[in-house]
């Protein structure tokens, strides 16, 4: 298996990142701006900066076809950035929320996007030709706390949301005049705006960090702060789900997850490395181990420790420079802090599976992991 | 309003009439458990311990957790668990836990439950009540168990003690 590609961009947290479809441009959040990097051979060079938010940017997403970027921030605003000949043109979105915006994602058809917030609402935003601006409609009931993540169903109507009230929910975000009536799915048939198609909770609770529909849209996975990954298979409208499977893991909680194929999920979080889960509705789900294949870290990480640190090690403990750096300064994982987001990078989960995933971390790294074949089964 | 008031501590949500966050939302209500049933269970476990079947006693105690009991009942069951833990030798801890962990599908959940009791045991003000002797020895028993549980069930079991609303 190929080695992961590690890029240390800066020494600040990256809370969210997004690539264009061809992988040539990378958008990362950095404090209250979003930086755009262009790929040059094996590295990335800073190309542009999207400035406009007053407070920390919490999320960024790039529409795969139109190339429009949407960002949202703790300043309660969201902007849509359109590429023009003279640079990026920003458009303010009327979110009408009184708390921080926490998460934003384009719908697959790129006509809408959803913004999660601390105001216990999800703003579903769409473009209004008349006023020439982005307006929003609120999904409100029965959200009891901050929305931490949203994820669109492939049909661009259903929306899953994970909340700090420990529930993962599936809503209808059908906007009259924008959406066509969708094909019936196991989640529901008639779907007026704000229909709650499902509400799920773990046994041991814990706020829900991330949610994701499977590639077909016929299953939902979510990960909560009880170190678990739960997969829900719906059976039909207004029926209890066919199966709800929870995998409680040995690890620290996962903050993000993504589907690789219909029967495989990768999740990552506070343990600083991605883990793989595999299963199906008939066989059940289980953890099959870490994705991070090489535990002996390459020199790229050792290089980073400052000369002062190394001197201190030698001075205090009489340790050799080379071993000191790897012994107790560095984690054994590639990311040196919590992984904040993983996304598919190469390949399509619905067609043949994701081949590579990208991850961003609080350590300022962007890592591209090959997903490849599984390692031998987990023993512990 | 005082100028030095810490505005970060003001609960602004309390002023929101639309905000309701009932506790039942997170944990479904449990059937109340009478104290007599907990006492009976405790006696059954103690009997097993006396016959040298501490491991079995531990499994039974962890499988029948009185989530719906009142505080006194919960304390009583906690004492039972701590007593059983004290009766198992240090050298047999890992084997006992492994048996419980691999015995069934729910093995991992049983260890999560045990973790809850370890923390509850540590939080108790009067460890001599638990029948393990002085404060220091009772605590050291719990700490050794804690180490062994983490070895088998991982850090996830600690995290789940914090998130789980089904308190013991």
């Amino acid at each position: 298996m190929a080695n992961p590609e590690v890029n240390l961009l800066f020494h600040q947290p990256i809370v969210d990142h997004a690539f264009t479809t061809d992988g040539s441009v990378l958008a990362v959040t950095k404090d209250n701006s979003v930086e755009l990097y262009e790929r040059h051979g094996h590295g990335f060079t800073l190309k542009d900066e999207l400035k406009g938010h007053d407070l920390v940017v919490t999320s960024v997403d790039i529409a795969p076809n139109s190339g429009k970027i949407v960002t949202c921030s703790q300043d309660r605003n969201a902007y849509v950035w359109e590429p023009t000949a003279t640079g990026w043109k920003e458009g303010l979105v009327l979110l009408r929320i009184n708390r921080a915006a926490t998460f934003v994602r384009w719908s697959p058809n790129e006509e809408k996007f959803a913004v999660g917030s601390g105001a216990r609402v999800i703003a579903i935003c769409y473009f209004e030709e008349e006023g020439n601006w982005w307006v929003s409609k609120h999904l409100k009931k029965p959200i009891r706390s901050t929305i931490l993540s949203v994820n669109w169903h492939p049909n661009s109507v259903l929306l899953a949301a994970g909340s700090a009230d420990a529930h993962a929910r599936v809503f209808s975000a059908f906007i009259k005049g924008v959406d066509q009536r969708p094909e019936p799915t196991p989640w529901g048939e008639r779907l007026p705006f704000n229909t709650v198609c499902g509400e799920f909770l773990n046994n041991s609770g814990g706020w829900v960090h991330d949610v994701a529909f499977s590639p077909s849209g016929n299953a939902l996975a979510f990960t909560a702060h009880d170190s678990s990954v739960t997969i829900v298979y719906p059976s039909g409208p207004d029926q209890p789900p066919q199966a709800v499977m929870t995998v409680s893991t040995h690890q620290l909680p996962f903050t993000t997850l993504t589907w690789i194929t219909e029967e495989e999920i990768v999740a990552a979080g506070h343990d600083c490395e991605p883990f793989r889960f595999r299963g199906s509705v008939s066989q059940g789900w289980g953890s099959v181990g870490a994705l991070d294949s090489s535990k002996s870290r390459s020199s790229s990480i050792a290089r980073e420790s400052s000369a002062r640190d190394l001197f201190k090690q030698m001075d205090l403990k009489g340790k050799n420079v080379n071993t000191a750096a790897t012994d107790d300064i560095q984690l054994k994982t590639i990311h040196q802090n919590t992984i904040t987001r993983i996304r598919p990078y190469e390949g399509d989960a619905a067609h043949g599976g994701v081949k590579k995933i990208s991850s961003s971390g609080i350590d300022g790294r962007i890592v591209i992991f090959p997903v490849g074949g599984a390692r031998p089964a987990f023993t512990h | 309003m005082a100028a030095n008031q810490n505005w970060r501590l003001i609960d602004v949500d309390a002023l929101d009439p639309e905000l309701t966050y009932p506790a039942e939302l997170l944990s479904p209500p449990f059937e109340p458990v009478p104290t007599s049933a907990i006492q009976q269970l405790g006696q059954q476990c103690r009997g097993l311990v006396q016959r040298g079947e501490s491991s079995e006693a531990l499994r039974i105690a962890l499988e029948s957790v009185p989530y719906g009991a009142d505080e006194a009942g919960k304390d009583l069951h906690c004492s039972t668990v701590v007593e059983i833990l004290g009766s198992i030798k240090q050298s047999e801890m890992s084997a006992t836990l492994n048996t419980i962990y691999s015995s069934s599908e729910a093995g991992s959940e049983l260890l999560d439950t045990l973790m809850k009791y370890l923390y509850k045991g540590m939080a108790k003000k009067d460890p001599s009540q638990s029948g393990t002797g002085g404060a220091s020895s009772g605590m050291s028993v719990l700490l050794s168990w804690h180490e062994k549980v983490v070895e088998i069930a991982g850090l996830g079991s600690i995290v789940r003690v914090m998130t789980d609303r089904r308190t013991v």
Side-chain angles (χ1 to χ4, degrees):
Chain A
M1 199 191 327
N3 282 329
E5 180 197 322
V6 186
N7 299 286
L8 178 63
L9 298 184
F10 41 74
H11 289 275
Q12 272 185 48
I14 301 175
V15 293
D16 198 2
H17 76 282
F19 277 97
T20 51
T21 335
D22 59 358
S24 63
V25 177
L26 160 69
V28 297
T29 64
K30 183 184 183 187
D31 264 350
N32 51 9
S33 67
V34 169
E35 290 188 341
L36 299 180
Y37 288 82
E38 205 158 52
R39 184 180 269 289
H40 276 278
H42 290 293
F44 288 95
T45 47
L46 183 62
K47 186 183 78 169
D48 229 329
E49 216 177 352
L50 306 181
K51 276 182 174 291
H53 286 292
D54 294 330
L55 292 174
V56 176
V57 177
T58 48
S59 190
V60 58
D61 199 27
I62 303 179
N65 297 320
S66 67
K68 286 179 193 167
I69 298 177
V70 61
T71 60
C72 71
S73 149
Q74 292 177 358
D75 65 11
R76 305 174 314 214
N77 285 324
Y79 288 107
V80 176
W81 308 79
E82 282 180 58
T84 64
T86 52
W88 292 91
K89 188 175 131 253
E90 70 191 69
L92 183 65
V93 183
L94 294 179
L95 286 183
R96 300 179 290 121
I97 54 175
N98 59 3
R99 299 287 164 80
T102 51
F103 203 91
V104 63
R105 284 297 178 263
W106 283 103
S107 67
N109 64 11
E110 302 179 19
E111 283 173 0
K112 300 183 287 185
F113 56 86
V115 182
S117 80
R120 305 193 305 276
V121 300
I122 305 168
I124 306 295
C125 308
Y126 56 98
F127 194 72
E128 203 187 60
E129 298 285 350
E130 279 170 39
N132 193 27
W133 57 13
W134 290 88
V135 293
S136 64
K137 258 182 112 170
H138 285 176
L139 288 175
K140 232 173 179 170
K141 290 223 159 89
I143 304 166
R144 313 272 187 167
S145 187
T146 301
I147 296 294
L148 297 175
S149 61
V150 295
N151 186 263
W152 287 93
H153 188 277
N155 70 7
S156 292
V157 168
L158 291 169
L159 182 79
S163 165
D165 60 15
H167 286 77
R169 298 186 178 89
V170 176
F171 294 101
S172 163
F174 181 84
I175 305 276
K176 237 184 182 169
V178 177
D179 288 311
Q180 306 292 320
R181 216 187 133 165
E183 298 281 312
T185 67
W187 300 100
E189 280 157 16
R190 274 199 72 250
L191 299 165
F193 189 75
N194 210 161
T195 309
V196 181
C197 306
E199 210 173 359
F200 310 103
L201 175 71
N202 269 4
N203 276 340
S204 43
W207 52 98
V208 178
H209 283 292
D210 201 9
V211 286
F213 279 109
S214 74
S216 68
N218 293 336
L220 179 78
F222 64 92
T223 177
H225 202 72
D226 60 352
S227 296
S228 71
V229 173
T230 303
I231 297 97
V232 180
Y233 290 93
S235 55
D238 301 318
Q239 307 249 322
Q242 183 186 348
V244 179
M245 301 174 191
T246 299
V247 186
S248 298
T249 68
H250 293 243
Q251 274 73 39
L252 292 175
F254 302 108
T255 54
T256 171
L257 60 83
T258 188
W259 290 76
I260 302 300
T261 66
E262 196 68 35
E263 299 185 333
E264 195 169 324
I265 291 173
V266 168
H270 294 293
D271 259 336
C272 312
E273 60 179 329
F275 289 85
R276 193 197 297 266
F277 296 83
R278 209 173 273 151
S280 63
V281 65
S282 51
Q283 288 162 2
W285 281 77
S287 167
V288 281
L291 203 64
D292 202 342
S293 54
S294 49
K295 281 285 181 186
S296 54
R297 282 290 86 83
S298 57
S299 55
S300 64
I301 290 164
R303 233 187 300 148
E304 207 215 312
S305 34
S306 69
R308 188 167 163 272
D309 281 343
L310 296 181
F311 179 74
K312 226 158 101 186
Q313 284 295 319
M314 283 194 290
D315 192 23
L316 289 174
K317 301 181 180 168
K319 273 194 177 166
N320 179 290
V321 178
N322 291 323
T323 58
T326 47
D327 270 1
D328 28 29
I329 302 175
Q330 303 293 334
L331 293 178
K332 288 200 172 73
T333 51
I334 294 177
H335 277 288
Q336 294 296 300
N337 206 329
T338 299
I339 296 176
T340 51
R341 188 69 47 209
I342 54 176
R343 282 169 173 270
Y345 175 76
E346 199 184 293
D348 183 353
H351 306 103
V354 174
K355 304 281 179 288
K356 290 180 178 175
I357 57 166
S358 59
S359 66
S360 57
I362 290 183
D363 57 353
R365 282 183 178 81
I366 296 285
V367 181
I368 296 166
F369 290 94
V371 176
R375 287 195 302 149
F378 210 33
T379 47
H380 105 194
Chain B
M1 193 182 288
N4 61 355
Q5 184 172 14
N6 190 347
W7 49 271
R8 284 184 187 279
L9 294 180
I10 301 173
D11 180 9
V12 288
D13 284 333
L15 305 172
D16 186 346
E18 280 182 34
L19 180 78
T20 44
Y21 200 158
E24 305 85 67
L25 197 72
L26 286 176
S27 61
F30 290 98
E31 291 281 309
V33 183
T35 313
S36 59
I38 302 169
Q39 269 165 342
Q40 211 177 355
L41 185 70
Q43 262 153 19
Q44 188 196 345
C45 289
R46 246 166 248 128
L48 283 169
V49 169
Q50 271 158 15
R51 287 203 299 276
E53 292 169 41
S54 301
S55 170
E56 181 65 11
L58 184 62
R59 197 179 57 78
I60 289 174
L62 294 179
E63 270 172 0
S64 35
V65 181
Y67 287 124
D70 54 4
E71 276 313 305
K74 286 182 173 184
D75 282 344
L76 189 66
H77 195 69
C78 180
S79 313
T80 310
V81 173
V82 173
E83 211 177 306
I84 299 170
L85 291 178
S87 75
I88 299 174
K89 286 200 206 86
Q90 181 120 24
S91 55
E92 287 162 12
M93 286 178 180
S94 293
T96 308
L97 292 175
N98 270 319
T99 322
I100 292 176
Y101 184 65
S102 48
S103 66
S104 69
E105 287 275 297
S108 143
E109 200 169 337
L110 289 182
L111 291 197
D112 291 347
T113 315
L114 175 57
M115 198 54 127
K116 290 182 200 170
Y117 280 109
L118 292 180
Y119 280 111
K120 189 177 167 103
M122 289 181 202
K124 269 195 170 177
K125 284 206 181 92
D126 184 11
S128 60
Q129 249 187 2
S130 62
T132 49
S136 57
S137 78
M139 187 58 94
S140 77
V141 168
L142 294 180
L143 280 171
S144 335
W145 277 103
H146 186 272
E147 184 192 344
K148 301 283 194 266
V149 174
V150 171
E151 263 171 31
I152 294 172
L155 294 172
S157 65
I158 299 179
V159 181
R160 281 188 284 276
V161 172
M162 291 190 270
T163 58
D164 206 330
R165 302 301 167 114
R166 296 169 300 177
T167 54
V168 297

